[in-house]
Amino acid sequence: LVSREEILAGVWPETAVEEGNLSVHVSNLRRLLGEHPSEPTYIETVSRRGYRFIATVKEAEKVAEPLASVPSKGRWNRRWMAGLVLGGLALAGIVWWVAFREPEREWNPAPLTSTPGLETSPALSPDGNQVIFAVRTPRDQMGLWLQRVGGAGPVRLTDQFDYNPTWSPDGLEIAFLRFDQPVAVELRVQEAFGGASRVLAKLDYRGPLPGPTASYTPDGQWILTSNGTGTPLGSTPRHLVAISRKTGEMRRLFEPVPGTSGDSAPVLSPKGDQLAFCRCASPDSCDLHVVPVRDLKPTGPMMRISESPSPEFRPVYLRDGSILYPLGAPGLRTLRRTKFSVVGKPSSEVISAPGEDVQQPTVGYPD
């Protein structure tokens, strides 16, 4: 993200330019690129903050040939060409500034909730203004709670053995897993702000909590999760499934590796063209994998991203297609971010500070 002030200072460093002029230039650039502000392909507007370049960038194979000379038709043609060149340079500067500048980040976590008991399985709403999380109190009571970011204390949504909530893309519904020990797990959906839940599907699971996760596809039509026992080793490995939001139809995505704990924690990229998930040799030895998909069907080979076996974790996509996920031994897990490019291998970086045990990241996008 680049603020409007940074763009103005970077493109016109010694000229006083009003912000309205920047909006006009960006609007003209969108028109030339054939995109609409409500469906951006190249430039995303972040309300009241600035702009973000979101198109895929790749290096040209060769330098373009110089432009042929243009016959002069007088002073106004020359002025028009000069203005076109200067305007093009200014717009190119905006694109370069937004696309390639990497802003500095600071790791400075702050408490968001303070409910008595063990808080786990957080899920930020799509707009980043609310969080649903599971709580296990000292009296062994369970349930999901809803907390408004920066608001008053949380409100209880459920009072059952519920875990791993997730929001629908429109923020109107949540899905979560309800445990009926020892092996029955129900995938349930309900309105995000209360009301009765209903069973969408029943799953098999024998393993440690928090167990299977759930995530909506970007169009909200399917919920992704895992099915199968996976433990003890030698039992049927867990496999990834997509469950229809409307009918409850369960679709198996692909086969896990025989003799392992299997696959879990599936999540689809914002564009729906890549699936990230955990592939686990055992519950305490999992790695992040990604696979290109179309209509939830693999279209290419799988790729292992991490090579540091960790307890089962939940990855999450950012808007730019990069992935956040915790990695490492219990007590030493760090938050990683992996970026993908059209050419070359993915690049990874550590986001969190040393010495912190980071788990279960969740992402929202406040205005």
Side-chain angles (χ1 to χ4, degrees):
L1 172 69
V2 184
S3 70
R4 302 169 69 90
E5 293 78 12
E6 289 175 306
I7 296 176
L8 291 172
V11 180
W12 297 283
E14 299 178 359
T15 305
V17 179
E18 295 182 357
E19 288 192 6
N21 292 331
L22 176 59
S23 299
V24 171
H25 279 292
V26 173
S27 178
N28 288 334
L29 181 57
R30 281 200 174 101
R31 178 176 55 80
L32 292 171
L33 294 172
E35 76 169 15
H36 192 276
S38 63
E39 298 180 353
T41 304
Y42 300 96
I43 301 174
E44 176 187 47
T45 300
V46 181
S47 178
R48 298 189 298 275
R49 296 180 65 188
Y51 300 94
R52 181 184 289 113
F53 189 77
I54 59 175
T56 300
V57 179
K58 63 180 180 179
E59 184 177 357
E61 296 182 355
K62 64 178 181 179
V63 178
E65 295 294 330
L67 293 173
S69 59
V70 180
S72 173
K73 293 187 178 181
R75 180 179 59 184
W76 292 107
N77 268 358
R78 288 194 295 272
R79 287 184 177 179
W80 182 84
M81 286 297 295
L84 180 63
V85 170
L86 291 176
L89 289 174
L91 294 176
I94 293 175
V95 172
W96 179 88
W97 184 265
V98 177
F100 296 105
R101 180 182 178 273
E102 181 71 18
E104 295 183 358
R105 296 184 181 87
E106 291 186 1
W107 177 255
N108 187 27
L112 178 60
T113 61
S114 57
T115 308
L118 175 63
E119 300 173 336
T120 185
S121 307
L124 276 168
S125 60
D127 62 8
N129 292 327
Q130 298 171 97
V131 61
I132 292 178
F133 56 100
V135 176
R136 185 168 187 171
T137 68
R139 296 183 180 180
D140 208 31
Q141 295 175 329
M142 294 296 303
L144 297 179
W145 295 71
L146 173 67
Q147 168 78 55
R148 184 166 185 83
V149 177
V155 176
R156 180 188 285 270
L157 293 181
T158 72
D159 57 3
Q160 302 294 317
F161 211 79
D162 300 329
Y163 269 94
N164 290 333
T166 185
W167 294 77
S168 62
D170 58 13
L172 299 179
E173 181 183 82
I174 63 169
F176 58 90
L177 283 302
R178 175 166 293 177
F179 289 77
D180 183 10
Q181 298 295 325
V183 295
V185 179
E186 296 174 343
L187 175 63
R188 286 178 167 259
V189 294
Q190 76 173 52
E191 293 183 2
F193 306 103
S197 64
R198 66 180 180 88
V199 178
L200 188 62
K202 291 184 178 292
L203 307 172
D204 292 326
Y205 178 69
R206 294 187 184 93
L209 293 175
T213 65
S215 65
Y216 284 82
T217 56
D219 60 10
Q221 299 301 308
W222 297 85
I223 298 176
L224 307 181
T225 186
S226 58
N227 194 21
T229 55
T231 51
L233 291 179
S235 59
T236 303
R238 296 164 66 185
H239 55 274
L240 305 184
V241 295
I243 299 173
S244 171
R245 170 64 187 78
K246 293 181 178 180
T247 66
E249 171 199 352
M250 185 180 297
R251 179 189 299 179
R252 193 163 177 150
L253 300 186
F254 44 78
E255 296 301 319
V257 177
T260 67
S261 288
D263 302 332
S264 61
V267 59
L268 202 61
S269 64
K271 294 183 178 180
D273 59 354
Q274 187 182 69
L275 180 72
F277 62 98
C278 276
R279 173 152 282 185
C280 303
S282 68
D284 294 324
S285 182
C286 304
D287 278 310
L288 176 67
H289 284 65
V290 297
V291 59
V293 295
R294 182 181 297 116
D295 297 328
L296 297 178
K297 297 179 180 179
T299 60
M302 295 181 188
M303 180 188 304
R304 186 173 71 174
I305 301 301
S306 64
E307 296 184 2
S308 178
S310 304
E312 184 178 336
F313 55 84
R314 180 181 65 186
V316 59
Y317 274 98
L318 301 181
R319 277 183 172 175
D320 63 3
S322 60
I323 306 177
L324 287 179
Y325 55 99
L327 199 69
L332 299 173
R333 283 165 284 207
T334 57
L335 186 62
R336 310 290 182 97
R337 180 186 182 188
T338 293
K339 302 177 184 179
F340 301 89
S341 61
V342 177
V343 295
K345 295 182 178 180
S347 59
S348 299
E349 60 178 334
V350 176
I351 300 296
S352 59
E356 298 190 17
D357 187 34
V358 182
Q359 303 177 49
Q360 300 177 327
T362 178
V363 176
Y365 299 96
D367 293 335

